[in-house]
Amino acid sequence: MEPEWIKRMGNTSRPFRRIAYFLCLLSVLLLTEGKKSVKPKCPAWCTCTKDNALCENARSIPTSVPPDVISLSFVRSAFTKIPEGSFLLTPSLQLLSLANNNLQTLPKDIFRGLDSLTNVDLRGNAFNCDCKLKWLVEWLGSTNATVEDIYCESPPEYKKRKINSLSPKDFDCIITEFAVYESLPYQSLSVDTFSYMNDEHVVIAQPFTGKCIFLEWDHVEGSFRNYDNITGMNNICQITLQFLIQKAVLTLSFIFFFFFGRYFNCCV
């Protein structure tokens, strides 16, 4: 059935009507093609099939590997570091080979989301077995994937030791990762904690606003709730402020004399 606008052409020449038909058909094809999702292409330095991708002399981990590949291998690559989340777009991976790429470390959670992994090849890399690699030892002890034996290249006391046989206890690490748990809209001079009736409390002293705020830990909600507010510079707030200030002064004094003593013993 002809469109209405073509019927109105009346005695228009037949060639022109053919052109109109062609343009109409071309528009429909373009609209249909535009709705199709564009699949990632195989990177120029990789050879890809339906299920496999082999990358040689890659300068970095490509981001355009087809997401359905189940085998991904890197050979003689130029990169020495791997960014976090490099394999989040290939969740179907079963085999991942990073062998012989001069890697010294791996970012934590590099295998996150790769629940189908069955084989991981990390051989031939010069791993530095420091605290940054402790997570890998923990992962090796919990994963169901097959991982060929890999070895430490440094530091000297770990050189040639098998990483697969190490224990997290072999790493003497003091690592603290801070994360914001809760933000409180207070400008404070000092904060301290204390226990009262077997509950944990926090006191926040604000001398410039004349307030002392006491917070109590809510075991059900898992957060601090307001316990009491003391406004004005009354005796309790003054005592609290004095205690916190004295504590801060004592702490600073201890730090000063500690470092002064070390300097004195070292240099005199």
Side-chain angles (χ1 to χ4, degrees):
M1 184 177 180
E2 292 183 341
E4 186 66 26
W5 62 274
I6 292 180
K7 291 181 179 180
R8 294 177 181 176
M9 295 174 64
N11 298 325
T12 307
S13 61
R14 183 171 296 178
F16 186 79
R17 295 184 65 182
R18 289 179 178 177
I19 294 175
Y21 271 120
F22 174 76
L23 292 176
C24 183
L25 179 61
L26 182 62
S27 299
V28 173
L29 290 175
L30 290 175
L31 289 174
T32 304
E33 191 68 23
K35 293 181 180 180
K36 294 182 179 179
S37 59
V38 179
K39 294 184 178 180
K41 295 182 179 180
C42 186
W45 55 85
C46 300
T47 302
C48 301
T49 62
K50 179 181 178 181
D51 298 325
N52 306 302
L54 174 64
C55 302
E56 296 188 53
N57 301 314
R59 296 182 179 181
S60 61
I61 301 292
T63 58
S64 59
V65 175
D68 297 331
V69 297
I70 61 175
S71 175
L72 177 60
S73 301
F74 294 89
V75 180
R76 295 184 296 273
S77 299
F79 55 80
T80 57
K81 295 182 180 180
I82 298 179
E84 294 184 10
S86 294
F87 305 112
L88 289 176
L89 299 179
T90 52
S92 301
L93 277 182
Q94 297 180 16
L95 188 150
L96 175 62
S97 177
L98 297 170
N100 304 307
N101 287 293
N102 296 315
L103 296 173
Q104 295 183 2
T105 190
L106 293 172
K108 188 176 181 180
D109 297 333
I110 187 176
F111 305 120
R112 180 165 54 90
L114 303 181
D115 300 328
S116 301
L117 271 182
T118 58
N119 292 85
V120 179
D121 193 351
L122 300 172
R123 294 173 297 174
N125 291 295
F127 286 118
N128 180 26
C129 296
D130 58 4
C131 292
K132 293 181 180 179
L133 212 65
K134 180 180 178 181
W135 75 267
L136 180 61
V137 174
E138 297 172 341
W139 180 80
L140 289 172
S142 61
T143 183
N144 293 322
T146 300
V147 184
E148 300 291 341
D149 290 342
I150 50 179
Y151 297 87
C152 302
E153 187 63 27
S154 60
E157 60 269 26
Y158 285 99
K159 188 176 178 67
K160 300 305 179 183
R161 287 193 61 179
K162 188 188 298 184
I163 298 179
N164 309 61
S165 301
L166 292 177
S167 168
K169 297 180 180 179
D170 293 325
F171 294 83
D172 186 15
C173 304
I174 301 177
I175 299 177
T176 303
E177 297 182 358
F178 291 98
V180 177
Y181 178 74
E182 184 178 355
S183 298
L184 301 174
Y186 306 132
Q187 295 180 352
S188 62
L189 170 67
S190 185
V191 178
D192 203 357
T193 61
F194 66 94
S195 297
Y196 176 69
M197 301 292 291
N198 295 323
D199 282 325
E200 294 298 324
H201 294 72
V202 172
V203 57
I204 303 175
Q206 302 182 83
F208 299 108
T209 59
K211 293 182 179 179
C212 285
I213 300 171
F214 293 83
L215 304 176
E216 180 183 30
W217 180 253
D218 190 324
H219 295 277
V220 177
E221 297 294 334
S223 61
F224 283 101
R225 62 168 176 252
N226 190 50
Y227 179 74
D228 195 7
N229 292 335
I230 302 177
T231 58
M233 295 302 293
N234 55 36
N235 292 334
I236 297 179
C237 198
Q238 287 181 352
I239 293 173
T240 303
L241 286 172
Q242 291 174 1
F243 169 75
L244 293 176
I245 292 173
Q246 289 176 0
K247 185 177 180 179
V249 171
L250 289 174
T251 302
L252 292 174
S253 300
F254 173 78
I255 295 174
F256 173 79
F257 284 112
F258 174 76
F259 284 102
F260 179 78
R262 291 188 62 182
Y263 174 80
F264 184 81
N265 293 331
C266 172
C267 305
V268 176

